[in-house]
Every structure is written in structure tokens, then in C-alpha cells.
Amino acid sequence: MTAGVDPVKLMKQEVGKAAADRVQSGTIVGLGTGSTTAYTIQFLGDRLKSSELKDIVGIPTSFQAAVLAKQYGIPLTTLDAVDHIDIAIDGADEVDPQKNLIKGGGAAHTREKIVDYLADQFIVVVDSSKIVDRLGSSFAVPVEVIPMAISPVMRAIEKLGGKPELRMGVKKAGPVITDQGNMVVDVRFDSIDNPAELEKTLNNIPGVLENGIFVGVTDLVLIGEVQDGKPVVKEM
């Protein structure tokens, strides 16, 4: 391995590339958010530049994804202009053995859910640290809430046994504001026995826009690991 190259970064690049390699010409691609998916977007741009890939259009799940796509020359479209998405590629904060996910570390889970659920094939790219036995073991569930409803939503979440915390900005005074202009409450649960049930229950609280539990939607998980200092990509 080249001296000074971070093996974790290399591994994220490998996983991102493995996902980009699965995209075919003439398809509509959901472009996820986050550090690993950023490499996927970069590699899709490289494949377009070299004409190995032709006629793809991207649907970004966030402002970040849109900016990257433009930077790497991927044409973008909107959900108004297409009637399907062929493939979506996105990261996750946790993945359980049933391929259920917790997403929303980047506060983009509402748009991600819309795009990822619409896709004919949904591929998740992660590193092995994101694989858990059960959801909620290491990551809180992000819940996007409209600002006026923050207090009642937090009270309702406490009644469900969750410990809600308003997500605050880093290098910004005050709370994190999503691309939709809402706030994010990160909720810790002692254990999530039924992710599908919890996903519905949270979304039924008035003022909640969407939460970061993704159930029964993932087709393939590409997992990056560093073994003997080299990046390896496994499938689940």
C-alpha cells in the first residue's frame, strides 16, 4: 500500500466504486448522501467521462449529492420528470442481518427514503463498522420534525420510551436545519424489537415528516473492510 494513504479512505473508495460499476448506460440513478456515496458519484462521473457509461441521469437525495453530481458532470433530473428510478445507491449508519437500516446521520433521510423506496434496485454501501445485530445498538434514530411541533413530538417520543435530543449544528449556532427547512431529533431506544412497527409509529406522530428507519427496501449491501491493510468488498 502507498505510504501515507489512509486504508479507511481507500476502502470507502473501493466500495463506492463497486457500486458505481453496477450502474448501466441509459438508467436513472438515485444518488445518495454521505462520504462513501460521494465516491460512487465521483466514479460515475469518471465512467461518463471515459464514455464507458452513457445516458445516465441522476436524482440527488440532498444538496450535497446535487453539488457533487454537478462537479463530476452527471446530468440531473427531478421526480416530476421521470416515472421510475432504475437503481439507487446510498450509505447507511446501521445495517441489521435483515438488511434493515438506520439512516439520517447526514439529516437527508427524508429525501433518501423517497428516492430509495422508488428505485427498482437499492444498493447500500457501508464499511463493516455499520453492521449491527439489531438496529439502534449504536446509532440513534433520526426523526425529521417541522419546527412548530418540536415540543409535542419530543413529549410523544418520550411516551414511546425513546430519549429524544434535538440535533445541534456544528460550526453553526442553533439546531441543524434540513434541506426541507425542518429540524432533526435524534432518538435513542433501549432496544428496537420491531423496526417496521416503530417506523410507522414514529411517522404517525403529528408534526413528524419522516424517520431514519428503512425496512424491507434494501436489495444488496456492499460492505468494505480493511484486511491486512488492503481494502476488500463483500456482499450481503
Side-chain angles (χ1 to χ4, degrees):
M1 206 175 79
T2 336
V5 177
D6 174 11
V8 174
K9 185 179 162 187
L10 266 182
M11 181 251 310
K12 284 188 173 194
Q13 286 175 335
E14 285 300 315
V15 181
K17 184 175 186 304
D21 285 344
R22 288 173 177 269
V23 174
Q24 295 171 353
S25 292
T27 53
I28 300 165
V29 188
L31 303 171
T33 303
S35 56
T36 308
T37 324
Y39 290 119
T40 299
I41 294 173
Q42 182 184 336
F43 285 118
L44 284 173
D46 293 348
R47 290 186 65 200
L48 280 173
K49 244 193 235 95
S50 68
S51 296
E52 181 198 324
L53 197 58
K54 288 184 176 67
D55 302 326
I56 67 161
V57 285
I59 305 236
T61 53
S62 63
F63 188 62
Q64 182 221 22
V67 168
L68 284 171
K70 284 177 191 146
Q71 191 183 329
Y72 292 113
I74 300 169
L76 295 178
T77 186
T78 64
L79 290 174
D80 291 329
V82 299
D83 62 359
H84 73 288
I85 297 172
D86 296 293
I87 183 172
I89 298 165
D90 214 337
D93 299 300
E94 284 191 345
V95 183
D96 77 4
Q98 287 73 48
K99 302 198 197 59
N100 296 321
L101 320 171
I102 289 182
K103 290 171 58 46
H109 54 282
T110 299
R111 287 198 196 185
E112 289 171 342
K113 201 175 262 194
I114 293 165
V115 169
D116 299 343
Y117 274 65
L118 278 172
D120 296 337
Q121 190 191 21
F122 175 35
I123 297 179
V124 171
V125 288
V126 289
D127 59 81
S128 52
S129 71
K130 308 286 169 69
I131 307 298
V132 295
D133 289 333
R134 57 193 304 166
L135 290 186
S137 357
S138 58
F139 209 81
V141 177
V143 180
E144 182 164 347
V145 183
I146 64 171
M148 70 168 277
I150 279 292
S151 297
V153 166
M154 286 174 86
R155 286 196 294 272
I157 284 171
E158 281 169 354
K159 284 198 182 116
L160 293 174
K163 297 179 191 67
E165 199 173 295
L166 185 61
R167 189 182 299 183
M168 302 308 276
V170 177
K171 298 188 181 175
K172 168 199 176 292
V176 166
I177 303 297
T178 68
D179 288 359
Q180 288 75 246
N182 299 310
M183 295 177 183
V184 175
V185 175
D186 289 310
V187 186
R188 295 239 167 235
F189 289 95
D190 288 338
S191 74
I192 298 175
D193 302 321
N194 187 335
E197 197 60 35
L198 184 60
E199 181 184 10
K200 288 195 192 87
T201 305
L202 288 170
N203 278 0
N204 278 337
I205 300 171
V208 169
L209 182 60
E210 189 52 86
N211 69 79
I213 300 174
F214 284 53
V215 172
V217 63
T218 310
D219 297 300
L220 173 69
V221 184
L222 296 174
I223 306 161
E225 283 181 7
V226 178
Q227 289 177 355
D228 307 325
K230 290 192 181 67
V232 180
V233 179
K234 295 178 173 173
E235 291 183 17
M236 166 170 147

mmCIF file of all heavy atoms in Angstrom, residues 103-128:
data_model
loop_
_atom_site.group_PDB
_atom_site.id
_atom_site.type_symbol
_atom_site.label_atom_id
_atom_site.label_comp_id
_atom_site.label_asym_id
_atom_site.label_seq_id
_atom_site.Cartn_x
_atom_site.Cartn_y
_atom_site.Cartn_z
ATOM 1 N N LYS A 103 -30.757 5.332 8.856
ATOM 2 C CA LYS A 103 -30.080 6.346 8.058
ATOM 3 C C LYS A 103 -30.430 7.717 8.625
ATOM 4 O O LYS A 103 -31.354 7.837 9.410
ATOM 5 C CB LYS A 103 -30.535 6.274 6.592
ATOM 6 C CG LYS A 103 -30.024 5.027 5.886
ATOM 7 C CD LYS A 103 -30.639 4.818 4.516
ATOM 8 C CE LYS A 103 -30.447 5.924 3.524
ATOM 9 N NZ LYS A 103 -29.060 6.445 3.455
ATOM 10 N N GLY A 104 -29.659 8.708 8.215
ATOM 11 C CA GLY A 104 -30.002 10.066 8.628
ATOM 12 C C GLY A 104 -28.923 10.753 9.421
ATOM 13 O O GLY A 104 -29.137 11.829 9.971
ATOM 14 N N GLY A 105 -27.730 10.141 9.465
ATOM 15 C CA GLY A 105 -26.596 10.803 10.106
ATOM 16 C C GLY A 105 -26.289 12.131 9.428
ATOM 17 O O GLY A 105 -25.798 13.064 10.051
ATOM 18 N N GLY A 106 -26.619 12.225 8.144
ATOM 19 C CA GLY A 106 -26.408 13.470 7.408
ATOM 20 C C GLY A 106 -27.679 14.298 7.290
ATOM 21 O O GLY A 106 -27.738 15.263 6.526
ATOM 22 N N ALA A 107 -28.730 13.891 8.016
ATOM 23 C CA ALA A 107 -30.015 14.603 8.053
ATOM 24 C C ALA A 107 -30.702 14.676 6.688
ATOM 25 O O ALA A 107 -31.476 15.574 6.422
ATOM 26 C CB ALA A 107 -29.847 16.014 8.635
ATOM 27 N N ALA A 108 -30.397 13.707 5.817
ATOM 28 C CA ALA A 108 -31.020 13.717 4.482
ATOM 29 C C ALA A 108 -31.998 12.552 4.310
ATOM 30 O O ALA A 108 -32.411 12.232 3.203
ATOM 31 C CB ALA A 108 -29.933 13.646 3.404
ATOM 32 N N HIS A 109 -32.396 11.912 5.424
ATOM 33 C CA HIS A 109 -33.133 10.645 5.306
ATOM 34 C C HIS A 109 -34.517 10.763 4.664
ATOM 35 O O HIS A 109 -34.993 9.806 4.072
ATOM 36 C CB HIS A 109 -33.241 9.948 6.666
ATOM 37 C CG HIS A 109 -33.814 10.813 7.748
ATOM 38 N ND1 HIS A 109 -33.053 11.773 8.390
ATOM 39 C CD2 HIS A 109 -35.043 10.891 8.300
ATOM 40 C CE1 HIS A 109 -33.814 12.388 9.293
ATOM 41 N NE2 HIS A 109 -35.021 11.874 9.246
ATOM 42 N N THR A 110 -35.142 11.941 4.739
ATOM 43 C CA THR A 110 -36.472 12.068 4.127
ATOM 44 C C THR A 110 -36.374 11.946 2.606
ATOM 45 O O THR A 110 -37.062 11.136 1.986
ATOM 46 C CB THR A 110 -37.135 13.403 4.517
ATOM 47 O OG1 THR A 110 -37.279 13.420 5.939
ATOM 48 C CG2 THR A 110 -38.493 13.563 3.858
ATOM 49 N N ARG A 111 -35.486 12.725 2.012
ATOM 50 C CA ARG A 111 -35.311 12.634 0.553
ATOM 51 C C ARG A 111 -34.748 11.278 0.160
ATOM 52 O O ARG A 111 -35.112 10.718 -0.869
ATOM 53 C CB ARG A 111 -34.369 13.736 0.065
ATOM 54 C CG ARG A 111 -35.003 15.107 0.075
ATOM 55 C CD ARG A 111 -34.196 16.017 -0.818
ATOM 56 N NE ARG A 111 -34.524 17.409 -0.564
ATOM 57 C CZ ARG A 111 -34.032 18.410 -1.269
ATOM 58 N NH1 ARG A 111 -33.170 18.176 -2.239
ATOM 59 N NH2 ARG A 111 -34.384 19.649 -1.003
ATOM 60 N N GLU A 112 -33.842 10.764 0.988
ATOM 61 C CA GLU A 112 -33.258 9.450 0.690
ATOM 62 C C GLU A 112 -34.355 8.382 0.655
ATOM 63 O O GLU A 112 -34.357 7.519 -0.208
ATOM 64 C CB GLU A 112 -32.212 9.086 1.759
ATOM 65 C CG GLU A 112 -30.943 9.918 1.653
ATOM 66 C CD GLU A 112 -29.988 9.718 2.823
ATOM 67 O OE1 GLU A 112 -30.416 9.217 3.879
ATOM 68 O OE2 GLU A 112 -28.821 10.073 2.676
ATOM 69 N N LYS A 113 -35.273 8.462 1.610
ATOM 70 C CA LYS A 113 -36.322 7.444 1.676
ATOM 71 C C LYS A 113 -37.215 7.513 0.438
ATOM 72 O O LYS A 113 -37.566 6.491 -0.144
ATOM 73 C CB LYS A 113 -37.154 7.614 2.949
ATOM 74 C CG LYS A 113 -37.893 6.345 3.327
ATOM 75 C CD LYS A 113 -38.626 6.450 4.660
ATOM 76 C CE LYS A 113 -37.851 5.853 5.801
ATOM 77 N NZ LYS A 113 -38.682 5.645 7.009
ATOM 78 N N ILE A 114 -37.547 8.714 0.019
ATOM 79 C CA ILE A 114 -38.396 8.875 -1.164
ATOM 80 C C ILE A 114 -37.719 8.241 -2.382
ATOM 81 O O ILE A 114 -38.317 7.447 -3.109
ATOM 82 C CB ILE A 114 -38.684 10.379 -1.430
ATOM 83 C CG1 ILE A 114 -39.553 10.949 -0.298
ATOM 84 C CG2 ILE A 114 -39.372 10.575 -2.790
ATOM 85 C CD1 ILE A 114 -39.602 12.471 -0.254
ATOM 86 N N VAL A 115 -36.445 8.554 -2.576
ATOM 87 C CA VAL A 115 -35.710 8.082 -3.753
ATOM 88 C C VAL A 115 -35.409 6.579 -3.657
ATOM 89 O O VAL A 115 -35.632 5.818 -4.596
ATOM 90 C CB VAL A 115 -34.404 8.902 -3.934
ATOM 91 C CG1 VAL A 115 -33.491 8.267 -4.971
ATOM 92 C CG2 VAL A 115 -34.750 10.337 -4.334
ATOM 93 N N ASP A 116 -34.924 6.141 -2.486
ATOM 94 C CA ASP A 116 -34.508 4.742 -2.340
ATOM 95 C C ASP A 116 -35.695 3.775 -2.447
ATOM 96 O O ASP A 116 -35.582 2.698 -3.007
ATOM 97 C CB ASP A 116 -33.767 4.545 -1.006
ATOM 98 C CG ASP A 116 -32.491 5.399 -0.932
ATOM 99 O OD1 ASP A 116 -32.022 5.861 -1.998
ATOM 100 O OD2 ASP A 116 -31.976 5.620 0.182
ATOM 101 N N TYR A 117 -36.844 4.170 -1.915
ATOM 102 C CA TYR A 117 -38.020 3.301 -1.991
ATOM 103 C C TYR A 117 -38.571 3.215 -3.416
ATOM 104 O O TYR A 117 -39.194 2.234 -3.780
ATOM 105 C CB TYR A 117 -39.121 3.791 -1.034
ATOM 106 C CG TYR A 117 -38.986 3.258 0.378
ATOM 107 C CD1 TYR A 117 -37.908 3.599 1.181
ATOM 108 C CD2 TYR A 117 -39.945 2.401 0.920
ATOM 109 C CE1 TYR A 117 -37.770 3.116 2.474
ATOM 110 C CE2 TYR A 117 -39.825 1.905 2.217
ATOM 111 C CZ TYR A 117 -38.734 2.269 2.987
ATOM 112 O OH TYR A 117 -38.608 1.773 4.263
ATOM 113 N N LEU A 118 -38.357 4.274 -4.208
ATOM 114 C CA LEU A 118 -38.860 4.273 -5.589
ATOM 115 C C LEU A 118 -38.010 3.413 -6.524
ATOM 116 O O LEU A 118 -38.461 3.005 -7.587
ATOM 117 C CB LEU A 118 -38.867 5.707 -6.145
ATOM 118 C CG LEU A 118 -40.055 6.589 -5.784
ATOM 119 C CD1 LEU A 118 -39.788 8.017 -6.245
ATOM 120 C CD2 LEU A 118 -41.342 6.057 -6.405
ATOM 121 N N ALA A 119 -36.746 3.170 -6.129
ATOM 122 C CA ALA A 119 -35.803 2.508 -7.042
ATOM 123 C C ALA A 119 -36.128 1.028 -7.224
ATOM 124 O O ALA A 119 -36.502 0.348 -6.274
ATOM 125 C CB ALA A 119 -34.388 2.667 -6.506
ATOM 126 N N ASP A 120 -35.968 0.547 -8.467
ATOM 127 C CA ASP A 120 -36.153 -0.883 -8.741
ATOM 128 C C ASP A 120 -35.105 -1.709 -7.995
ATOM 129 O O ASP A 120 -35.373 -2.808 -7.538
ATOM 130 C CB ASP A 120 -36.027 -1.166 -10.250
ATOM 131 C CG ASP A 120 -37.123 -0.465 -11.040
ATOM 132 O OD1 ASP A 120 -38.179 -0.166 -10.429
ATOM 133 O OD2 ASP A 120 -36.933 -0.197 -12.243
ATOM 134 N N GLN A 121 -33.890 -1.150 -7.899
ATOM 135 C CA GLN A 121 -32.841 -1.813 -7.127
ATOM 136 C C GLN A 121 -32.187 -0.798 -6.207
ATOM 137 O O GLN A 121 -31.816 0.294 -6.630
ATOM 138 C CB GLN A 121 -31.774 -2.438 -8.051
ATOM 139 C CG GLN A 121 -30.814 -3.321 -7.269
ATOM 140 C CD GLN A 121 -29.588 -3.768 -8.062
ATOM 141 O OE1 GLN A 121 -29.230 -3.141 -9.058
ATOM 142 N NE2 GLN A 121 -28.939 -4.818 -7.603
ATOM 143 N N PHE A 122 -32.074 -1.162 -4.930
ATOM 144 C CA PHE A 122 -31.475 -0.256 -3.954
ATOM 145 C C PHE A 122 -30.229 -0.912 -3.353
ATOM 146 O O PHE A 122 -30.309 -1.957 -2.727
ATOM 147 C CB PHE A 122 -32.497 0.084 -2.862
ATOM 148 C CG PHE A 122 -31.941 0.917 -1.738
ATOM 149 C CD1 PHE A 122 -30.973 1.890 -1.959
ATOM 150 C CD2 PHE A 122 -32.402 0.733 -0.433
ATOM 151 C CE1 PHE A 122 -30.468 2.656 -0.919
ATOM 152 C CE2 PHE A 122 -31.896 1.493 0.617
ATOM 153 C CZ PHE A 122 -30.929 2.450 0.376
ATOM 154 N N ILE A 123 -29.078 -0.289 -3.616
ATOM 155 C CA ILE A 123 -27.800 -0.807 -3.128
ATOM 156 C C ILE A 123 -27.279 0.093 -2.009
ATOM 157 O O ILE A 123 -27.247 1.321 -2.146
ATOM 158 C CB ILE A 123 -26.756 -0.852 -4.273
ATOM 159 C CG1 ILE A 123 -27.219 -1.816 -5.360
ATOM 160 C CG2 ILE A 123 -25.383 -1.264 -3.739
ATOM 161 C CD1 ILE A 123 -26.270 -1.901 -6.542
ATOM 162 N N VAL A 124 -26.893 -0.541 -0.906
ATOM 163 C CA VAL A 124 -26.364 0.192 0.235
ATOM 164 C C VAL A 124 -24.853 -0.008 0.302
ATOM 165 O O VAL A 124 -24.366 -1.136 0.179
ATOM 166 C CB VAL A 124 -27.027 -0.290 1.542
ATOM 167 C CG1 VAL A 124 -26.337 0.299 2.765
ATOM 168 C CG2 VAL A 124 -28.507 0.085 1.544
ATOM 169 N N VAL A 125 -24.114 1.084 0.443
ATOM 170 C CA VAL A 125 -22.648 0.999 0.563
ATOM 171 C C VAL A 125 -22.231 1.422 1.970
ATOM 172 O O VAL A 125 -22.570 2.513 2.417
ATOM 173 C CB VAL A 125 -21.936 1.877 -0.504
ATOM 174 C CG1 VAL A 125 -22.070 1.262 -1.879
ATOM 175 C CG2 VAL A 125 -22.472 3.301 -0.539
ATOM 176 N N VAL A 126 -21.521 0.533 2.666
ATOM 177 C CA VAL A 126 -21.104 0.826 4.046
ATOM 178 C C VAL A 126 -19.730 0.229 4.322
ATOM 179 O O VAL A 126 -19.243 -0.602 3.554
ATOM 180 C CB VAL A 126 -22.086 0.229 5.098
ATOM 181 C CG1 VAL A 126 -23.411 0.956 5.115
ATOM 182 C CG2 VAL A 126 -22.296 -1.265 4.885
ATOM 183 N N ASP A 127 -19.143 0.647 5.443
ATOM 184 C CA ASP A 127 -17.969 -0.089 5.908
ATOM 185 C C ASP A 127 -18.435 -1.021 7.023
ATOM 186 O O ASP A 127 -19.532 -0.861 7.560
ATOM 187 C CB ASP A 127 -16.867 0.864 6.380
ATOM 188 C CG ASP A 127 -17.336 1.760 7.508
ATOM 189 O OD1 ASP A 127 -17.342 1.287 8.663
ATOM 190 O OD2 ASP A 127 -17.714 2.917 7.246
ATOM 191 N N SER A 128 -17.612 -1.997 7.359
ATOM 192 C CA SER A 128 -18.058 -3.083 8.240
ATOM 193 C C SER A 128 -18.467 -2.598 9.639
ATOM 194 O O SER A 128 -19.206 -3.286 10.332
ATOM 195 C CB SER A 128 -16.974 -4.146 8.352
ATOM 196 O OG SER A 128 -15.758 -3.534 8.716
#
